[in-house]
Each structure stands twice: as C-alpha cells, then as structure tokens.
Amino acid sequence: MQGPEKMRFTKDHEWVAVEGDIATVGITAYAAEQLGDVVFVEVPEVGKTVKQGDGLAVVESVKAASDVYAPVSGEVVEANAALGDAPETVNAVPEAGGWFAKLKLSNPSEVEALMDRDAYEAFLSTL
C-alpha cells in the first residue's frame, strides 16, 4: 500500500489507497473512534461488483451497526477475512490492517474526485 499521502477520503469517513488498478478500502481513524469497540465485521464477497456509494461492508460496534460505502466503483478482488476473527483490528489499525476489501477499479477517475488527507482533515474540523 502506498504512503498516507496517497490515500483519498470520503465525507462518510471511508478511505481508499490505490496501487495500480487496485483500490484498498477501509474506514478512517475518526470513523473507528466514533464507532467505539468494533465487535463484528461483514466483508463483501469476492466477485461482488459495486458502484461508488453502494454498501460494501457492515461494521457493528458496541454502539451501532454501520454500513461502509464503496468510495469508488469496481469489483471485489480480495476481502479481509481476518476481520471475521479479529474485528477489533478495525479499531487498532483502521488505516492499515483494518481494511475491508480490495477493488479492481472500474472508473479510476473517481479516485481523483475524493479528498486528499489535508482536505479531509479540514472537513473533520467542521464537524
């Protein structure tokens, strides 16, 4: 995965990191903190095709269940099955090992429309 400066973010607090035509998707540290202790994660099935904004995964915490939306369109080529046994990974390393899925991008230009880290940090300051 590329460095943090290569990550892009949504207003729904998902992140995407792109390497070639593969986008790794997760939730931000802010989202993980807001959720509280994550107790269950449902990752998508490999082969599932999603459009930007579609539900991609489900996260349940001690506070609530939340959908994780696809920040970009593509086909799921890998799901982070380890989260099934260790959902707390989402809290521990949300922007690294706590990723949900890897998507083969169907529209790479969608990535450029997302916020970079500076823009996301500025957005967070308005919440």
Side-chain angles (χ1 to χ4, degrees), residues 21-36:
D21 63 350
I22 303 297
T24 303
V25 178
I27 61 171
T28 65
Y30 174 85
E33 185 179 309
Q34 294 301 305
L35 279 169

Side-chain angles (χ1 to χ4, degrees), residues 59-117:
V59 182
E60 290 183 22
S61 71
V62 293
K63 293 182 183 176
S66 301
D67 287 324
V68 176
Y69 300 102
V72 291
S73 303
E75 179 185 344
V76 177
V77 293
E78 186 179 343
N80 191 351
L83 295 180
D85 293 327
E88 65 278 3
T89 306
V90 174
N91 293 113
V93 282
E95 295 180 18
W99 59 275
F100 293 99
K102 296 188 182 207
L103 305 175
K104 183 171 175 40
L105 292 170
S106 58
N107 187 354
S109 65
E110 290 174 341
V111 176
E112 295 307 313
L114 301 174
M115 293 179 278
D116 63 16
R117 186 166 295 273

